[in-house]
Amino acid sequence: MMVGLGGNNGTTLTATILANRHNITWRTKEGLQKPNYVGSVLRASTLRLGVDPETGSDVHVPLSSVLPTVHPNDLVIGGWDISSLPLDEAMTRAQVLSYDLQRQIAPLMAPIKPLPSIYYPDFIAANQEERADNLIPGESKQAHLEALRKDIREFKQANALDSVVVFWTANTERYSEIIPGVNDTAENLLKAIETSHDEVSPSTVFAVASILEGCPFINGAPQNTFVPGCIQLAEQHKSFIGGDDLKSGQTKVKSVLTEFLVNAGIKPLSIASYNHLGNNDGRNLSAEKQFRSKEISKSSVVDDMVGANHLLFKPKTESEEKGEHPNHLVVIKYMPAVGDSKRAIDEYYSEICMGGRSVINIFNECE
């Protein structure tokens, strides 16, 4: 069950699964395209199992043959969205998939309609309000929590499912303030939901609903959904929660390259990252508070890497908030004309042997 089912991520993932399940092919300017799961760690990657004693060659096997997992084609898709558009119309609005694929898959998408969701205007950009026509009524966060739990139970029962996974793929929220007595413990967080405290975010309500229903919850956006009280509640219920962003573009490249540089004994002195994108994610991130969540997410991957090498970077002292680290700048701009095409330019300026300098520039485009 996806939160943000009618967004770019939700409609694209649903269409991908349906196209694979029904083996739908479509025409592009390059020719006939067949459905696949390229980019999936589980479906398109291999694992080094060992060495063939006869040939001395490495033996690689599909990861899915070693780790038993449900095939994506067997997943039942549902979820919530603040927009009431059925998924065929939401797919058209997203402007991600090729027209010929949209044309063929629209009849399979049309019957899927998002369940009403929750919308707290303070947590996402004001420019999202025009979409919000599909809401769980009322202002009681406790009532919202119970409605979401009921949705999960009914979806599981109606589709005779073994389990339900809840996946946040909706817009980035602003960061929640951590307040003692409000969201610092499981007990306080539940009381805060009961009293509809202003600092309880929609994503945290979804996470709590999932935990109480015994469902894994995956967070695909960079806000701090998992406040301390939410983590403690998951521990108490032995529920799985995880994720702090869908890192498939610039942020993923940054984590890989920074790790490479630091592990190679090269000292990044500064990392400058510029982004522009034109989809609804970019529109939401044009608001300062939501951008700040993304900025923290992109910066944290650098902090994690440099903190692992005290030979290059001095560890923090008792009087410091954090130790030595590179200068790091992140810029994100909303550019409607480029649509779902996300453009990123990065410069890595590093110290090498004997006072030398290295500069690496990367241009990354992700659709």
Side-chain angles (χ1 to χ4, degrees), residues 82-340:
I82 62 173
S83 169
S84 62
L85 286 185
L87 259 61
D88 60 330
E89 295 181 37
M91 173 180 63
T92 301
R93 178 181 60 189
Q95 300 180 354
V96 174
L97 300 171
S98 298
Y99 168 73
D100 193 34
L101 175 57
Q102 290 191 44
R103 177 184 61 81
Q104 295 181 73
I105 210 164
L108 299 173
M109 299 279 279
I112 306 176
K113 296 178 173 60
L115 294 166
S117 190
I118 55 178
Y119 172 65
Y120 306 152
D122 183 46
F123 280 90
I124 63 173
N127 57 35
Q128 300 301 303
E129 185 176 3
E130 63 194 48
R131 289 192 177 210
D133 64 354
N134 189 41
L135 308 179
I136 298 173
E139 298 182 358
S140 168
K141 295 186 178 183
Q142 182 65 38
H144 294 166
L145 174 65
E146 296 304 328
L148 297 178
R149 294 184 64 181
K150 182 172 180 285
D151 287 341
I152 294 171
R153 290 194 299 268
E154 290 181 348
F155 184 78
K156 184 176 182 180
Q157 183 177 8
N159 294 285
L161 303 175
D162 294 327
S163 61
V164 174
V165 176
V166 178
F167 174 30
W168 178 277
T169 180
N171 275 320
T172 298
E173 298 172 336
R174 69 164 176 83
Y175 254 50
S176 298
E177 185 179 350
I178 307 302
I179 305 174
V182 174
N183 50 18
D184 55 338
T185 69
E187 182 181 2
N188 288 338
L189 177 58
L190 292 176
K191 287 181 180 177
I193 293 174
E194 192 175 321
T195 59
S196 300
H197 195 282
D198 288 343
E199 212 54 35
V200 178
S201 69
S203 63
T204 297
V205 175
F206 272 99
V208 170
S210 303
I211 292 167
L212 296 179
E213 290 301 318
C215 300
F217 180 86
I218 309 300
N219 179 34
Q223 69 268 346
N224 59 340
T225 298
F226 304 134
V227 294
C230 185
I231 296 172
Q232 188 181 78
L233 186 69
E235 291 172 343
Q236 291 175 356
H237 288 263
K238 295 181 170 54
S239 289
F240 178 85
I241 58 173
D244 63 358
D245 201 3
L246 296 175
K247 296 179 175 67
S248 59
Q250 184 190 58
T251 311
K252 185 62 177 178
V253 172
K254 182 177 293 184
S255 63
V256 171
L257 187 55
T258 305
E259 183 178 29
F260 160 74
L261 291 171
V262 172
N263 287 348
I266 297 171
K267 183 177 182 178
L269 299 175
S270 67
I271 301 173
S273 299
Y274 167 84
N275 308 253
H276 69 261
L277 64 161
N279 60 15
N280 195 53
D281 184 34
R283 191 172 183 224
N284 181 62
L285 290 173
S286 64
E288 179 61 31
K289 290 181 180 179
Q290 285 68 35
F291 162 72
R292 180 58 182 154
S293 292
K294 194 72 173 180
E295 183 182 37
I296 292 171
S297 172
K298 287 179 175 288
S299 300
S300 65
V301 299
V302 174
D303 294 338
D304 291 343
M305 299 307 170
V306 302
N309 191 329
H310 66 276
L311 299 177
L312 293 176
F313 299 93
K314 296 177 183 178
K316 69 174 184 178
T317 63
E318 291 185 3
S319 61
E320 294 176 320
E321 186 175 334
K322 62 180 180 179
E324 184 185 7
H325 59 282
N327 296 151
H328 190 196
L329 175 68
V330 177
V331 177
I332 302 176
K333 294 297 182 181
Y334 177 49
M335 191 80 70
V338 301
D340 193 59

Side-chain angles (χ1 to χ4, degrees), residues 352-367:
I352 56 178
C353 187
M354 303 297 289
R357 294 293 186 267
S358 164
V359 179
I360 299 174
N361 289 299
I362 296 177
F363 178 80
N364 175 34
E365 181 177 342
C366 180
E367 292 192 356

